[in-house]
Amino acid sequence: MPELPEVETMRRGIAVIVGSKIARVSRAPCKLRPIEIRPQLRAFDHRTRGTTITGLGRAGKRLVIELDSSEKIVIEPRMTGLALLSSPPDEEHLRLKIELDGGSVRELVYWDSRGLGSVRLLRPKEFQLQLGPAKLGPDAIATTAELIRERLRTSRRAIKVALLDQRAVAGIGNLYAAEILHVAGIHPERTCDSLRPNEWDALHRAMVAVLEAAIQYEGSTLADGTYRNALNQSGNYQQHHRVYDQEGNLCGACGKGTIVRIVQAQRSTFFCPVCQKPRSRRRNSPRGR
DNA sequence: CCCCAGTCCTGCGGGC
DNA sequence: TGCCCGCAGGACTGGG
């Protein structure tokens, strides 16, 4: 599931397309339901044809292709979308082709097995509206402990749930939320308003450390094998998962706890009950007669 | 403000 | 062996 590290890997992997011209945008002959493209293909092709790709960015979990027309192509892979320069995993899930001119690669393709993703062409104003600060928080890898704390410290939501809120902080999904909280030693059910300043610091440090390590390893390719880099190669960070999908395994960090799975906001949460204790309340709870 | 359930979608694995 | 069901979840929406 592409989260920040996977999308960042995609971005780096397709960097060679900068400077190329878009020759044509076309749908691949995919028999499955077409993915969402906005505007519709005709207009999309018309508005992009002949433009030059001037840069590549990332906005949280979205890939941003900047054009010299000042418009931007925003690719949102959701669960299974991939931006590829070559050899897609198969032909039947190939959804969109962006044919290129004047560079070393002939086309950029969008492949998506479940088809939940989207490809959109946005004018500057639309981009600002849809991906601006009102909709997307600061990028998880380029923010500060103070900023995160400021945004969340009065919230009564569980910290794990809040980390998935892209308006609070952008780029974290279910997998990395679990990994980050484990490294930070914070129980996923702790409410935001219960975290102390030093815990926000620990959370921020863990966030940067986990996401940067995951980028170094080119993301996580899970058992379903869906996530791949621009050249259709697997990531390697899954070998370093401490808690995600590790239910029943011994925690590698403490060697004592067994990883458990709970459900929060209809999503699986994995954690180590030894490394991530709920805040002790013994001290202040006068109980008994 | 926040929470919850439902929605989109396909592939896979468990259970019978 | 084959079929059905439920699960995976990112982002969004509508109701409470």
Side-chain angles (χ1 to χ4, degrees):
Chain A
M1 60 205 78
E3 302 181 28
L4 188 153
E6 289 76 25
V7 178
E8 179 60 21
T9 303
M10 284 182 206
R11 190 187 73 80
R12 295 179 185 189
I14 65 168
V16 292
I17 70 171
V18 174
S20 293
K21 251 189 198 343
I22 293 180
R24 190 163 87 105
V25 178
S26 59
R27 275 195 200 277
C30 173
K31 288 177 189 156
L32 304 166
R33 173 189 160 279
I35 55 151
E36 184 187 344
I37 300 170
R38 267 191 278 170
Q40 295 199 357
L41 191 63
R42 259 181 97 93
F44 198 114
D45 177 54
H46 184 254
R47 271 161 59 186
T48 53
R49 198 179 277 219
T51 61
T52 298
I53 296 167
T54 53
L56 282 175
R58 183 180 54 72
K61 303 173 192 172
R62 280 150 230 201
L63 190 60
V64 180
I65 301 173
E66 295 155 13
L67 306 176
D68 65 352
S69 61
S70 85
E71 300 196 325
K72 292 179 168 74
I73 297 174
V74 176
I75 298 179
E76 186 177 341
R78 297 268 181 112
M79 296 302 295
T80 52
L82 299 176
L84 297 161
L85 294 181
S86 64
S87 53
D90 59 51
E91 292 290 319
E92 76 222 65
H93 298 98
L94 204 54
R95 311 280 184 157
L96 197 72
K97 291 186 181 194
I98 300 179
E99 293 167 43
L100 304 170
D101 257 348
S104 56
V105 288
R106 282 210 333 277
E107 61 181 16
L108 172 71
V109 300
Y110 181 74
W111 182 97
D112 193 338
S113 88
R114 285 165 67 179
L116 294 175
S118 68
V119 179
R120 281 178 281 171
L121 177 67
L122 300 178
R123 300 189 174 91
K125 207 175 244 175
E126 294 170 323
F127 184 86
Q128 190 59 25
L129 235 53
Q130 296 183 31
L131 293 139
K135 290 282 180 73
L136 273 189
D139 200 79
I141 217 153
T143 185
T144 62
E146 290 70 32
L147 216 56
I148 300 168
R149 175 167 178 262
E150 202 174 291
R151 290 190 163 236
L152 292 174
R153 73 193 172 94
T154 61
S155 168
R156 291 159 78 179
R157 283 191 288 177
I159 183 62
K160 155 66 168 25
V161 177
L163 286 178
L164 299 182
D165 181 351
Q166 302 300 298
R167 288 167 307 181
V169 85
I172 298 170
N174 205 45
L175 192 163
Y176 291 105
E179 295 299 313
I180 288 165
L181 287 173
H182 181 257
V183 171
I186 296 172
H187 192 288
E189 288 179 304
R190 290 278 302 281
T191 57
C192 293
D193 65 1
S194 79
L195 296 195
R196 288 157 288 187
N198 67 312
E199 293 179 310
W200 287 111
D201 287 340
L203 180 67
H204 174 254
R205 280 197 303 274
M207 190 180 288
V208 173
V210 167
L211 296 174
E212 283 187 345
I215 292 170
Q216 290 303 310
Y217 285 96
E218 303 204 305
S220 300
T221 297
L222 303 184
D224 63 13
T226 43
Y227 171 69
R228 314 247 130 188
N229 70 11
L231 301 176
N232 190 19
Q233 298 157 334
S234 301
N236 290 299
Y237 192 67
Q238 65 281 1
Q239 295 155 20
H240 301 273
H241 291 176
R242 298 152 157 258
V243 290
Y244 186 79
D245 212 14
Q246 303 295 311
E247 185 181 16
N249 292 351
L250 198 63
C251 172
C254 68
K256 292 180 201 147
T258 299
I259 309 304
V260 296
R261 185 186 90 101
I262 60 172
V263 174
Q264 292 178 280
Q266 296 134 262
R267 298 232 147 102
S268 293
T269 298
F270 300 90
F271 69 100
C272 167
V274 176
C275 297
Q276 299 163 270
K277 292 204 190 304
R279 177 134 71 137
S280 165
R281 287 187 189 96
R282 261 171 288 161
R283 177 175 306 226
N284 296 332
S285 67
R287 235 169 242 217
R289 65 213 113 206

